[in-house]
């Protein structure tokens, strides 16, 4: 059973924008640090951005100033606003939830983002 479900991926032109959403199926969302990861073909999966239950954020250097992560705990949803998209942003984007204290971790099924003219 998947606890996280992503949506919002698709095809966009370079310089365009896209907003990803990830909704948790459980009521313990607020005690998890949520993150977005991505994996391109032939590449390692890498952290894009993360946000704690209290709203503290962390971004990979390659997306700073372009992407914004946010969360709505009442809706059990985390978002990734992606602006100024580049072809190298093309990847499958995965939602991740990690418990604040325990070794519990959940992954979404992934959503494809393709940046191409």
């Amino acid at each position: 059973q998947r606890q996280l479900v992503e949506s919002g991926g698709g095809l966009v032109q370079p310089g365009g924008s896209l907003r990803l959403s990830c909704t948790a199926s459980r009521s313990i969302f607020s005690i998890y640090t949520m993150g977005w990861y991505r994996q391109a073909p032939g590449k390692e999966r890498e952290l894009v951005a993360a946000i704690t239950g209290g709203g503290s954020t962390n971004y990979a250097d390659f997306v700073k100033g372009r992407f914004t992560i946010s969360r709505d705990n009442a809706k059990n949803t985390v978002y990734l606003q992606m602006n100024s998209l580049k072809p190298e942003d093309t990847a499958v984007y995965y939602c991740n939830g990690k418990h604040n204290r325990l070794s519990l971790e959940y992954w979404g099924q992934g959503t494809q983002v393709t940046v191409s003219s």
Side-chain angles (χ1 to χ4, degrees):
Q1 181 182 1
R2 294 190 182 278
Q3 281 70 46
L4 305 174
V5 179
E6 306 97 331
S7 63
L11 175 64
V12 64
Q13 294 183 348
S17 298
L18 210 58
R19 189 195 195 199
L20 306 182
S21 298
C22 172
T23 300
S25 62
R26 297 188 177 185
S27 61
I28 57 175
F29 181 79
S30 63
I31 64 174
Y32 280 73
T33 293
M34 304 301 299
W36 287 97
Y37 291 73
R38 72 185 188 187
Q39 186 167 24
K43 302 293 183 63
E44 299 290 328
R45 185 174 297 188
E46 59 187 354
L47 174 69
V48 176
I51 183 169
T52 68
S56 298
T57 59
N58 182 48
Y59 296 93
D61 288 340
F62 54 81
V63 302
K64 286 183 177 179
R66 300 190 298 125
F67 293 7
T68 302
I69 188 171
S70 62
R71 67 190 296 162
D72 186 337
N73 289 339
K75 297 182 178 180
N76 291 342
T77 300
V78 61
Y79 307 93
L80 184 67
Q81 179 66 48
M82 304 184 293
N83 300 323
S84 302
L85 283 162
K86 306 174 181 179
E88 51 263 44
D89 293 320
T90 297
V92 177
Y93 284 71
Y94 297 91
C95 183
N96 170 268
K98 183 173 294 184
H99 196 277
N100 292 337
R101 295 175 50 252
L102 307 177
S103 60
L104 297 176
E105 189 174 50
Y106 301 95
W107 290 93
Q109 81 288 348
T111 184
Q112 177 70 48
V113 172
T114 302
V115 185
S116 180
S117 298

